[in-house]
């Protein structure tokens, strides 16, 4: 048994993981930009399919739509796990969160070259742990506004995520939700390795500014 899940339920968990990956891999930034006549977002700015790069097209509404849909797909994947697995709900939701973010970051449709997982990760965490998710959102918005660098806010928010998940007086490192949060944070920070390098060099573009 893994996290109290009997062997005969593991195929169901595998189905949850696969479904969540497919949901997470929907490239809304790419689709919305193409449908609006903006071309291939991968050939604009940083080449990323996320909302920050969509904003570089100059269309704030399109960027807001991408942000909302990327966040919603993360929350939706967790909701699907809740519906499909009524007996091992937390483990299933945690698994869904991990694979939804993995799907966004490494979508098979785009040769595993996806986004950086920030909006999808926030959507997953909000659905899985609402209070922690709100804290992450607040950190992201505050530091993005202060620095005018979206990646700085994202890096700080997800670097803080493992600490935010620790309950006062109780450290439950064995919880599947805690494991999901740590893995999501690691994935997103790895996806931001180039941003971290540019931040240290002082060359990271500000919000709305074109990448160099």
């Amino acid at each position: 048994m893994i996290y109290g899940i009997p062997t005969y339920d593991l195929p169901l968990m595998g189905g949850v993981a696969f479904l969540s990956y497919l949901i997470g891999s929907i490239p809304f930034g790419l689709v919305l930009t193409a449908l609006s006549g903006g071309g291939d977002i991968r050939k604009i700015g940083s080449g990323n399919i996320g909302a920050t790069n969509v904003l570089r097209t100059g269309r704030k509404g399109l960027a807001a739509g991408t942000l909302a849909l990327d966040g919603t797909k993360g929350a939706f994947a967790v909701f699907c796990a809740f519906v499909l697995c009524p007996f091992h709900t937390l483990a299933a939701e945690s698994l869904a969160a991990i694979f939804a973010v993995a799907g966004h970051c490494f979508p098979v449709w785009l040769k595993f070259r996806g986004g950086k997982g920030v909006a999808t990760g926030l959507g997953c965490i909000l659905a899985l742990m609402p209070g922690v998710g709100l804290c992450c959102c607040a950190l992201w918005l505050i530091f993005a506004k202060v620095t005018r660098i979206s990646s700085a806010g994202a890096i700080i928010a997800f670097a803080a995520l493992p600490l935010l998940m620790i309950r006062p007086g109780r450290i439950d490192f064995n919880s599947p939700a805690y494991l999901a949060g740590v893995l999501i944070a690691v994935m997103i920070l790895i996806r931001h390795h180039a941003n971290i390098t540019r931040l240290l060099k002082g060359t990271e573009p500000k919000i709305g500014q074109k990448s160099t």
Side-chain angles (χ1 to χ4, degrees):
M1 298 176 69
I2 302 173
Y3 285 119
I5 303 169
T7 305
Y8 58 78
D9 272 347
L10 292 181
L12 176 59
M13 290 295 176
V16 167
F18 182 66
L19 176 62
S20 300
Y21 175 84
L22 292 180
I23 293 171
S25 67
I26 302 171
F28 284 115
L30 180 64
V31 172
L32 291 180
T33 305
L35 290 177
S36 68
D40 190 339
I41 190 63
R42 294 171 296 178
K43 298 179 181 178
I44 298 171
S46 66
N48 192 267
I49 63 170
T52 300
N53 197 43
V54 174
L55 185 60
R56 293 190 178 105
T57 65
R59 304 177 71 171
K60 295 182 179 179
L62 208 60
T66 301
L67 180 68
L69 287 171
D70 280 347
T72 299
K73 72 182 181 184
F76 181 66
V78 174
F79 174 75
C80 287
F82 171 79
V83 172
L84 292 171
C85 299
F87 301 110
H88 312 291
T89 307
L90 184 58
E93 290 176 338
S94 302
L95 190 67
I98 294 167
F99 277 86
V101 175
H104 179 83
C105 294
F106 311 104
V108 64
W109 331 110
L110 304 180
K111 298 180 180 179
F112 304 102
R113 297 175 183 174
K116 296 185 179 177
V118 176
T120 303
L122 288 174
C124 289
I125 298 301
L126 280 167
L128 192 61
M129 297 169 280
V132 173
L134 288 173
C135 289
C136 282
C137 288
L139 283 173
W140 177 44
L141 291 172
I142 290 169
F143 282 93
K145 185 174 179 61
V146 170
T147 63
R148 293 192 63 242
I149 300 174
S150 179
S151 63
I155 290 164
I156 289 169
F158 283 95
L161 176 56
L163 294 176
L164 292 173
M165 289 187 294
I166 298 174
R167 301 177 188 178
R170 179 185 173 189
I171 303 176
D172 192 2
F173 293 129
N174 294 321
S175 167
Y178 189 85
L179 176 62
V182 170
L183 289 177
I184 287 170
V186 168
M187 266 193 287
I188 290 173
L189 291 175
I190 289 174
R191 292 291 291 159
H192 280 81
H193 70 278
N195 303 84
I196 294 171
T197 299
R198 288 194 295 269
L199 283 168
L200 293 174
K201 292 181 178 178
T203 58
E204 178 73 341
K206 295 185 181 295
I207 294 174
Q209 179 184 342
K210 292 184 178 180
S211 290
T212 57

